[in-house]
């Protein structure tokens, strides 16, 4: 697993979140000023963008994020992004945040799948940063924060080898492997199947530095070419396009990572659930194994659910078209139930089992100084830092 994956995941998911929020705020913008109470204005939209981008690219937060560390779980990453979204006057209810996270994940997953080379993951990230820079172009202080973060990313990732980029890509694919949420935009352009899996094209330009497949050349022992033959490739490939710019500013060439949402297509921020895992009778491994381990850890006292701070008064944004659709999404359980089945564990009925767990926890704690905050877990440092911003 690559320890350099988290910054790219956060920047790309954060960029997708800003794209979606900007599209929804523009679609709901019916007031040019603040004269009409409860209606989003253009000034409100700019304020939301500035607040979120300013928090996202703050120096202490980015310095912590760029440290080598393992990639967070979906749950932890979603909590961090929820805090980020609520850094402004805008508030998202849990159902809308579930929907937003699904859209962000599926958009970035699609971009990773289509990425020509592992190194081009940087170009996707730079496309996100370039568009974010446009959101705050009227605020020089925040623009400087974005530029400074961009320079740090160039410094950290420019020295990575091709093998390290391949490991980074593999880490991302593992992170995405259980996410198969259907997105109306992808279904409409026929790049996603009804099952939620992407349909990859077998045509188009090959990556930079790669020859077009279909030719076999045979050499003798002196290195001279003696024969050529061709074979069917199963696709229609063309010569590679020029390489994109990896500098602070320049032509990235590839369009992956650019804003694909427009105010004229609000349906593009819609998702639909794939058939429930519980309806498929097969012998696939139980995907709840990690959650069961987390539950066991909580029973042993090493983890506690951190309560979210009470929401401040402000505007609310809804990613659903109707109240009925929102209610259905809330009752369906959101993003996590689309991934996993539900197992209810009555942990406190068996007093003997509870006593044994307490004894095990005591054994783990023997000879070990407990931290000042026993509920700390991976991602808490970033969450605490966001609270201080």
């Amino acid at each position: 697993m690559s320890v350099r994956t988290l910054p790219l995941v956060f920047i790309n998911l954060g960029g997708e979140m800003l794209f979606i929020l900007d599209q929804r705020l523009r679609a709901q913008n019916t007031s040019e000023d603040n004269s009409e109470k409860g209606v989003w204005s253009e000034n409100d939209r700019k304020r939301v963008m500035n607040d979120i981008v300013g928090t996202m690219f703050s120096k202490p937060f980015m310095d912590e994020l760029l440290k080598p560390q393992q990639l967070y779980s979906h749950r932890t990453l979603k909590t961090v992004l929820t805090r980020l979204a609520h850094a402004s006057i805008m508030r998202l209810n849990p159902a809308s945040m579930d929907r937003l996270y699904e859209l962000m994940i599926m958009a970035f997953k699609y971009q990773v799948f289509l990425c020509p080379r592992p190194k081009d993951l940087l170009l996707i990230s730079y496309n996100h940063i370039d568009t974010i820079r446009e959101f705050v172009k009227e605020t020089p202080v925040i623009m400087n924060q974005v530029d400074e973060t961009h320079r740090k990313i160039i410094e950290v990732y420019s020295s990575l080898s091709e093998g390290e980029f391949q490991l980074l890509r593999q880490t991302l694919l593992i992170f995405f492997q259980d996410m198969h949420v259907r997105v109306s935009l992808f279904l409409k352009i026929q790049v996603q199947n009804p099952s939620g899996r992407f349909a990859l094209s077998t045509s188009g330009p090959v990556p930079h530095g790669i020859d077009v497949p279909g030719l076999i050349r045979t050499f003798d022992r002196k290195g001279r070419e003696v024969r050529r033959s061709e074979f069917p490739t199963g696709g229609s490939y063309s010569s590679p396009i020029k390489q994109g710019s990896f500098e602070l500013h320049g032509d990235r060439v590839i369009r992956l990572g650019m804003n694909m949402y427009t105010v004229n297509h609000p349906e593009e921020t819609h998702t639909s659930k794939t058939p429930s895992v519980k309806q498929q009778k097969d012998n696939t491994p139980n995907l709840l194994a990690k959650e069961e381990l987390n539950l066991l850890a909580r029973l042993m006292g090493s983890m506690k659910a951190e309560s979210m701070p009470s929401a401040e008064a402000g505007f609310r944004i809804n990613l659903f078209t109707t109240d009925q659709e929102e209610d259905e999404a809330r009752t369906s359980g959101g993003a996590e139930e689309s991934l996993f089945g539900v197992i209810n564990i009555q942990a406190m009925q068996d007093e003997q089992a509870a006593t044994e767990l307490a004894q095990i926890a005591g054994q783990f704690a023997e000879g070990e100084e407990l931290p000042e905050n026993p509920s700390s877990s991976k991602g808490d440092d970033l969450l605490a830092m966001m609270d201080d911003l």
Side-chain angles (χ1 to χ4, degrees), residues 96-381:
S96 289
M97 191 62 214
D98 289 344
R99 175 67 57 88
L100 179 60
Y101 187 75
E102 289 174 343
L103 289 168
M104 292 152 51
I105 287 289
M106 294 307 293
F108 188 33
K109 178 179 180 179
Y110 176 67
Q111 293 158 12
V112 172
F113 270 34
L114 266 62
C115 186
R117 303 175 302 171
K119 187 177 180 180
D120 291 337
L121 289 169
L122 289 181
L123 296 179
I124 296 176
S125 303
Y126 295 169
N127 274 336
H128 280 105
I129 294 176
D130 291 342
T131 308
I132 292 172
R133 191 182 285 113
E134 285 296 311
F135 286 150
V136 296
K137 62 183 179 181
E138 298 178 3
T139 313
V141 174
I142 301 180
M143 272 197 67
N144 290 335
Q145 289 180 233
V146 177
D147 289 342
E148 182 62 26
T149 298
H150 198 165
R151 292 188 186 95
K152 289 181 180 178
I153 291 175
I154 293 174
E155 179 182 349
V156 169
Y157 288 92
S158 60
S159 60
L160 296 188
S161 66
E162 293 293 336
E164 289 173 310
F165 276 114
Q166 178 60 37
L167 180 61
L168 195 153
R169 179 180 180 273
Q170 193 67 30
T171 304
L172 285 173
L173 293 177
I174 294 172
F175 179 69
F176 292 135
Q177 66 181 352
D178 294 326
M179 295 292 286
H180 305 295
V181 182
R182 293 177 292 179
V183 180
S184 62
L185 171 62
F186 296 144
L187 292 170
K188 184 169 62 178
I189 61 178
Q190 297 182 343
V191 298
Q192 190 179 31
N193 296 323
S195 64
R197 300 179 183 274
F198 291 115
L200 302 182
S201 174
T202 57
S203 61
V206 297
H208 180 78
I210 304 299
D211 293 330
V212 177
L215 177 66
I216 300 175
R217 295 187 297 173
T218 305
F219 298 85
D220 61 16
R221 63 182 58 186
K222 293 182 179 181
R224 295 175 297 187
E225 183 178 334
V226 296
R227 185 171 64 254
R228 289 191 175 194
S229 59
E230 296 182 354
F231 65 91
T233 61
S236 177
Y237 299 100
S238 58
S239 300
I241 56 178
K242 68 176 183 177
Q243 181 171 246
S245 172
F246 289 89
E247 302 301 323
L248 187 66
H249 301 283
D251 183 9
R252 313 301 179 194
V253 179
I254 66 174
R255 298 184 58 83
L256 298 172
M258 300 182 72
N259 192 351
M260 62 181 179
Y261 303 102
T262 63
V263 73
N264 297 323
H265 300 283
E267 72 277 5
E268 293 174 356
T269 57
H270 291 175
T271 61
S272 58
K273 298 291 185 295
T274 53
S276 173
V277 177
K278 292 182 289 185
Q279 297 175 0
Q280 302 173 1
K281 295 182 179 179
D282 54 24
N283 295 322
T284 56
N286 186 357
L287 298 178
L288 263 175
K290 184 175 180 180
E291 297 304 316
E292 293 175 73
L293 292 175
N294 288 341
L295 174 61
L296 178 61
R298 281 193 290 271
L299 292 173
M300 292 166 57
S302 62
M303 293 176 59
K304 292 183 180 178
E306 182 180 8
S307 58
M308 293 288 291
S310 58
E312 299 176 0
F315 289 94
R316 301 184 71 87
I317 184 172
N318 194 341
L319 269 70
F320 298 88
T321 54
T322 63
D323 292 338
Q324 181 181 0
E325 184 181 354
E326 179 184 354
D327 293 337
E328 291 175 356
R330 186 183 296 112
T331 56
S332 66
E336 293 186 5
E337 284 195 9
S338 66
L339 295 178
F340 309 112
V342 177
I343 294 180
N344 295 319
I345 302 177
Q346 301 296 333
M348 300 308 296
Q349 284 186 351
D350 191 340
E351 295 182 2
Q352 181 180 358
T355 303
E356 291 176 357
L357 283 173
Q359 292 175 351
I360 295 173
Q363 293 173 2
F364 284 147
E366 282 184 4
E368 190 176 55
E369 185 177 353
L370 291 176
E372 187 174 333
N373 181 13
S375 64
S376 61
S377 60
K378 186 165 62 174
D380 282 351
D381 291 340

Side-chain angles (χ1 to χ4, degrees), residues 57 67 239:
F57 289 92
K67 293 178 181 178
S239 300

